Amino acid sequence: MIHVISKFIFHKILGWKIDGSFRGDIKKYVLIGAPHTSWKDFPIAILTRNVIQIPIDFVGKASLFKPPFGFIYRKLGGTPVDRTKSSNFVDSVVQIYNEKEEFRLGISPEGTRKLAKKWKTGFYYIAKGANVPIVMFAFDFGNKTIKVAEPFYTTHDKEADFAHFLSFYKDVKGAKPELFNAENLL
């Protein structure tokens, strides 16, 4: 029922479409969503996930998953990360990939809805550490389209990899276009 309602809202009421295909046959990948410029991105992402019917997870600080509302974050696909341990964020998330049979992490490389001078690189090192591909998707508010790329495996050339990301995102218009500068990913 959630799928049908989400499709109706996503396509008919909001007028959005999906260009590309989210891969359900690949059980583990890092899904980077940009530009992240508005609160609207999260509900659009949740609707998209319901439309495609592929589990997409996210991580958050462990305190978010405590009662009374923690069950909501888990129900939405959240996994807690304990930042009080001595391990860093990348290592903690790589450990989640190693422990799960299926894990598709949705993450914003900007790390904020404000103008980011440079992307955070955690998603890149998570993909490298977990040996999983990166799937890029864009919130293109200019065309009301969720744009999806084919899975991309990182190389040993970080600059070339980020140039590949730039080529995907360069013409995308976020909800607030002035808050996204694809020229400065690194």
Side-chain angles (χ1 to χ4, degrees), residues 68-80:
F69 301 109
F71 76 96
I72 296 170
Y73 291 107
R74 288 184 196 281
K75 193 75 173 158
L76 288 173
T79 299

Side-chain angles (χ1 to χ4, degrees), residues 24-40:
D25 60 319
I26 300 175
K27 301 295 181 196
K28 296 181 181 184
Y29 53 80
V30 176
L31 183 69
I32 59 170
H36 182 36
T37 62
S38 168
W39 64 269
K40 298 173 189 174

Side-chain angles (χ1 to χ4, degrees), residues 13-30:
I13 294 176
L14 299 178
W16 280 72
K17 60 185 180 276
I18 298 173
D19 179 13
S21 177
F22 289 91
R23 299 283 301 270
D25 60 319
I26 300 175
K27 301 295 181 196
K28 296 181 181 184
Y29 53 80
V30 176

Side-chain angles (χ1 to χ4, degrees), residues 145-161:
T145 301
I146 294 293
K147 185 175 156 187
V148 186
E150 286 296 313
F152 174 80
Y153 284 90
T154 59
T155 68
H156 296 292
D157 187 343
K158 182 178 170 186
E159 286 188 28
D161 292 347

